[in-house]
């Protein structure tokens, strides 16, 4: 199982490859706000752990294992953003909050959050009722 740091790299590599068709060390460094040397070390580790194939000066490709995990990590991130929106978290807090919590929840918790998001999305009046409750003045 990848560490939270490894997850950040796999997720970002997955996003870059889907967006641009490739992921370079410099792109990953910029996206994660880290030094290219840190990216190179992590990419080598991810290569050893068979999440990707890395050839120096040639780039990298996610393995099927890396793609599967990358897709799941992006879905987790998107789900948590949607969850925070549904429960009324202010937009300016959502990205940072997701970054702060996504590695600290079990996949069981993620699945239960998905159930809750589905519950609210099935009947939008449920989310409206929650927002009305949030607007009530504190007693």
């Amino acid at each position: 199982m990848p560490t939270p740091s490894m997850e950040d790299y796999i997720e970002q590599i997955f996003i870059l490859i889907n967006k641009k068709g490739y992921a370079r060390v410099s792109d990953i460094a910029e996206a994660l706000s880290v030094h290219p040397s840190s990216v190179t070390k992590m990419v080598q580790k991810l290569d050893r752990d068979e999440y990707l194939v890395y050839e120096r000066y040639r780039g990298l490709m996610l393995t099927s294992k890396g793609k599967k995990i990358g897709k799941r990590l992006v879905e987790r991130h998107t789900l948590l953003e949607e969850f925070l929106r549904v429960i009324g978290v202010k937009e300016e807090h959502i990205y940072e909050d997701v970054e702060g919590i996504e590695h600290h929840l079990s996949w069981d918790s993620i699945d239960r959050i998905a159930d809750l998001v589905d519950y609210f999305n099935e009947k939008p009046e449920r989310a409206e009722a929650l927002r009305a409750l949030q607007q009530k003045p504190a007693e």
Side-chain angles (χ1 to χ4, degrees):
M1 210 53 211
T3 65
S5 180
M6 292 165 74
E7 286 183 347
D8 286 339
Y9 279 85
I10 294 168
E11 181 180 7
Q12 197 54 239
I13 291 165
F14 183 86
I15 291 167
L16 285 166
I17 289 173
N18 282 339
K19 185 175 172 183
K20 298 170 76 170
Y22 60 89
R24 297 180 316 210
V25 167
S26 59
D27 298 326
I28 300 164
E30 182 180 336
L32 295 174
S33 300
V34 297
H35 292 287
S37 60
S38 298
V39 174
T40 300
K41 286 178 190 168
M42 180 59 80
V43 164
Q44 290 168 343
K45 179 171 180 28
L46 292 170
D47 184 31
R48 281 193 305 275
D49 291 350
E50 299 179 349
Y51 293 104
L52 56 80
V53 176
Y54 174 66
E55 292 182 37
R56 198 169 176 186
Y57 306 117
R58 300 197 79 171
L60 54 95
M61 292 175 32
L62 289 170
T63 62
S64 59
K65 174 180 167 181
K67 286 177 190 172
K68 181 179 176 184
I69 290 174
K71 183 177 189 277
R72 179 108 163 122
L73 295 171
V74 168
E75 288 170 350
R76 175 182 71 184
H77 190 101
T78 303
L79 171 69
L80 290 172
E81 284 182 349
E82 184 177 2
F83 171 67
L84 294 179
R85 279 187 190 96
V86 165
I87 63 169
V89 173
K90 292 179 182 164
E91 196 64 36
E92 64 264 22
H93 299 296
I94 289 177
Y95 182 81
E96 221 171 282
D97 286 353
V98 169
E99 287 297 311
I101 64 173
E102 67 184 337
H103 301 296
H104 301 286
L105 296 172
S106 68
W107 287 105
D108 182 45
S109 293
I110 296 295
D111 290 341
R112 298 302 63 82
I113 289 170
D115 293 342
L116 189 58
V117 167
D118 288 344
Y119 173 82
F120 280 110
N121 286 339
E122 282 173 7
K123 294 190 178 177
E125 62 271 15
R126 293 171 177 159
E128 291 167 19
L130 177 61
R131 285 192 197 86
L133 181 67
Q134 293 167 341
Q135 299 303 316
K136 279 183 151 180
E139 296 177 16

